[in-house]
Amino acid sequence: RRAIMLGFTLPRLMVKFDKRPLPFSVNLDSEAGLFIVGNAALVAASKGLKAGMALTEIGCEEVVHLTEQELLQRLDQASLPVECVFQALPTGDQGLPEAFEDGLLSSDEDVQMADAAR
């Protein structure tokens, strides 16, 4: 008997920000080990960013293993314009997939760029 394991990826979004303060807030969800967007200002929302998405990269650097303090430091010190990658997460009762490794499911091939970043 053969078994097939199927995987799926959730959409990722790359957004460029050229001004400070950055138009979003994130909080560490220590249970999931992810930085989750709490609020997205209109300028960020217009680029596709939504509350509940996970911040996965700042300037091509993964943020999964950072502490909250280290993340804030990276955001403050990143040269402008700074590129941030966000990932949509399962909603409702779906929860995080068991194969959710290091907080990331996607490869670089599925990063969607906001219209303004193209």
Side-chain angles (χ1 to χ4, degrees):
R1 183 166 195 237
R2 293 184 188 188
I4 296 176
M5 179 178 265
L6 297 176
F8 67 95
T9 59
L10 297 169
R12 289 174 21 147
L13 174 73
M14 193 277 292
V15 183
K16 238 182 233 189
F17 298 107
D18 56 5
K19 293 181 183 175
R20 283 197 171 81
L22 296 176
F24 64 91
S25 65
V26 292
N27 297 299
L28 177 61
D29 179 333
S30 53
E31 190 174 308
L34 299 171
F35 292 100
I36 306 297
V37 174
N39 294 302
L42 185 58
V43 67
S46 70
K47 296 179 180 191
L49 186 59
K50 298 176 185 170
M53 294 180 88
L55 172 63
T56 60
E57 295 177 25
I58 301 170
C60 298
E61 179 186 356
E62 290 187 4
V63 300
V64 166
H65 301 290
L66 298 178
T67 65
E68 218 163 349
Q69 192 65 33
E70 290 168 333
L71 177 79
L72 292 175
Q73 187 175 17
R74 298 282 196 306
L75 288 171
D76 286 342
Q77 294 176 353
S79 58
L80 297 175
V82 61
E83 293 181 355
C84 297
V85 176
F86 300 89
Q87 183 166 356
L89 297 177
T91 57
D93 297 335
Q94 295 172 351
L96 296 176
E98 289 183 26
F100 205 77
E101 295 181 32
D102 296 329
L104 300 175
L105 284 173
S106 306
S107 67
D108 289 338
E109 296 167 0
D110 65 351
V111 174
Q112 299 172 3
M113 295 181 65
D115 291 338
R118 290 184 182 165

